[in-house]
Amino acid sequence: MEAANHLILIFQILYVATALGTMIVVISENRNPLKTISWVLILLLLPLVGLIIYYFFGEDSRKQRLISNKMYKKLNRRSIGRKELLETLNPPNEYKGLVNLLNRLKSSPLYGGSSVKFYSDGVSKFEDLFAHLEKAEKHIHIQYYIFLDDEVGRKTRDILVRKVSEGVEVRLIYDDVGSWKAKRDFFKNMQARGVEVQPFLKVAFKILTSRVNYRNHRKIVVIDGKVGFVGGMNIADRYIQGVKFGIWRDSHIKIEGKAVAGLQTSFLIDWYSSRKEFLASDTYYPILESKGENMIQLVTSGPVGRYKDIHLGILQAISNAKESVYIQTPYFIPTDSLLQAIQMAAMRGVDVRLMLPRHSDTTFVHIATMSFLKEVLDAKVNVYFFEAGFLHSKLMTIDSSLTITGSANMDIRSFEHNFEIDAFIYNEETCRRAQEIFFEDMERSTLLLVEEWDKRPRFSKFKESVMRLFSPLL
């Protein structure tokens, strides 16, 4: 009995020492004071469980760089050092500050001469994607957060394997946690048949590593360095078949022209980060002719960067809005600064509209999202609930000439924890098309009234407030 008591005492001493050490680390990282206090309280009030939660979701990996600044600049220089890409461009005057900000933050050059095609359903996106994959002559670079072993996944696999047999280089990056439903053998089979397959941040035991918290959420395809796809759709049947409560409404774009170089650079940087293979041949950066009038910046962000580039870009864009801000996002857990920017835009007379799904694929995140709606409603933001299914679209328009779309949701996880990519597109015609898509979705949505929202049960409000406390972890 005495020996058991000694073991308990030793365990208690070790736990207290570990918890105190973790608190010191959290405080020393100079994070947001509210986040620091939250983590300290969790560690104090939830013995053992608090340490486990911190290990999974709290460890800051920004100092554990996947790629050195020197190598990042070397890879990035491949796309911005070409003569045909260094043309003098004049973005709209109202966005010159934004263009300069994004370029200085991450060396995100402004590419001209590009065309943009929108996809608002999986059928048209995959038909076009498969057609372009079949036409590939030199290389295919394909990267998805989720790549499933289902009908769409197997069709994609078969095309990739067939292109390898035709002499095309094929490289695939998939997120090891996002694609966990696909068995290892699915990817091993592709690799055995010539596809160069690379999981991003591979984990042996997905529940026993803090790497679970830092995922590559990008969806990129580059074909022969001339055609690129980017957006919110992964490789899975649900983008065609929908979900039990309706369609899976998502957004994706195809880019042709000079801006494809930006997608190529993002892929090759991730390839180097995961594979430590430096690819910089001119084959991957062919001379590109002008394909359209769009000026585009491809902006990446992730937990290893000093700044949250996409977050800052969106913040700047909303702060400068003069006429309208239309936002589609599946999850709405904004930072304090972003929430304030949205509120101030609405209060100064800008037409601000926020569209969210009525039903979500993630219960806890959806409940936390609901806790923010009262604050935007009071600021005269028009909030819409999409009723036809699940709205997974990440699409934003500012005034009449800026469109932002890509992989990033409007939540803390996308801004601070995930590796993301968004296209900032400066073009009036493209912006009009994006707004048309938004208006079409409005016809399948319900405007949320402040009076109705205030009448919801007190328990619902309390539940939302509780989940909001944990929103940095969701």
Side-chain angles (χ1 to χ4, degrees), residues 82-311:
R82 302 291 296 274
K83 291 181 179 179
E84 70 274 9
L85 295 175
L86 292 178
E87 58 187 316
T88 301
L89 298 173
N90 291 309
N93 288 329
E94 60 269 31
Y95 298 120
K96 286 184 177 179
L98 175 61
V99 170
N100 289 335
L101 171 70
L102 295 175
N103 193 27
R104 291 177 180 177
L105 281 173
K106 206 66 170 285
S107 296
S108 300
L110 181 65
Y111 298 101
S114 300
S115 67
V116 173
K117 180 179 179 179
F118 284 97
Y119 304 98
S120 55
D121 67 275
V123 174
S124 61
K125 181 256 182 173
F126 283 112
E127 283 182 352
D128 215 359
L129 173 62
F130 292 154
H132 279 285
L133 290 175
E134 294 282 12
K135 296 176 184 176
E137 298 178 347
K138 296 183 179 179
H139 69 266
I140 294 172
H141 291 159
I142 182 166
Q143 174 179 12
Y144 279 96
Y145 173 63
I146 297 173
F147 197 126
L148 296 187
D149 180 8
D150 55 17
E151 186 176 343
V152 170
R154 288 188 290 273
K155 185 171 182 178
T156 306
R157 173 202 62 192
D158 293 344
I159 294 174
L160 298 181
V161 169
R162 186 165 60 254
K163 297 310 292 185
V164 169
S165 69
E166 297 173 4
V168 176
E169 296 178 10
V170 179
R171 297 179 178 87
L172 164 65
I173 301 174
Y174 69 91
D175 188 84
D176 201 40
V177 174
S179 302
W180 70 274
K181 289 184 179 180
K183 294 181 179 179
R184 300 280 193 197
D185 289 344
F186 176 69
F187 296 107
K188 287 181 179 179
N189 175 269
M190 275 193 276
Q191 185 150 356
R193 297 165 72 181
V195 177
E196 294 187 61
V197 180
Q198 182 62 45
F200 190 88
L201 287 184
K202 185 175 180 180
V203 294
F205 301 99
K206 295 179 178 61
I207 62 171
L208 296 178
T209 175
S210 59
R211 285 183 171 187
V212 169
N213 199 33
Y214 302 107
R215 307 317 315 167
N216 197 314
H217 198 240
R218 296 168 186 152
K219 297 95 175 168
I220 297 172
V221 178
V222 179
I223 301 164
D224 292 337
K226 299 177 181 179
V227 179
F229 291 80
V230 66
M233 297 188 205
N234 292 289
I235 300 292
D237 285 349
R238 60 180 173 236
Y239 298 93
I240 295 176
Q241 298 176 359
V243 290
K244 61 183 179 181
F245 48 86
I247 65 171
W248 187 291
R249 166 66 187 91
D250 219 322
S251 294
H252 219 84
I253 60 172
K254 176 177 69 176
I255 299 174
E256 293 184 87
K258 299 181 179 182
V260 177
L263 293 178
Q264 185 79 287
T265 296
S266 176
F267 178 90
L268 293 180
I269 287 174
D270 283 348
W271 185 260
Y272 178 84
S273 300
S274 301
R275 191 77 162 242
K276 295 298 181 285
E277 181 181 9
F278 179 61
L279 301 174
S281 168
D282 286 346
T283 300
Y284 306 119
Y285 292 99
I287 296 176
L288 298 171
E289 298 178 355
S290 177
K291 291 287 186 177
E293 301 299 323
N294 290 276
M295 289 181 281
I296 303 175
Q297 285 180 289
L298 279 307
V299 183
T300 60
S301 65
V304 297
R306 181 178 180 183
Y307 299 106
K308 306 308 174 190
D309 307 76
I310 292 176
H311 173 258

Side-chain angles (χ1 to χ4, degrees), residues 402-422:
L402 173 60
T403 305
I404 304 172
T405 190
S407 67
N409 300 307
M410 192 163 285
D411 63 6
I412 294 173
R413 169 157 293 280
S414 276
F415 294 143
E416 298 192 4
H417 299 301
N418 288 343
F419 295 85
E420 306 279 6
I421 183 167
D422 269 8

Side-chain angles (χ1 to χ4, degrees), residues 371-401:
S371 71
F372 290 92
L373 299 190
K374 174 64 174 172
E375 293 168 78
V376 294
L377 286 169
D378 286 345
K380 306 304 180 184
V381 173
N382 292 309
V383 178
Y384 296 85
F385 280 137
F386 184 78
E387 306 285 4
F390 177 46
L391 180 73
H392 192 251
S393 172
K394 308 98 164 52
L395 181 66
M396 181 185 308
T397 66
I398 306 292
D399 295 338
S400 60
S401 57

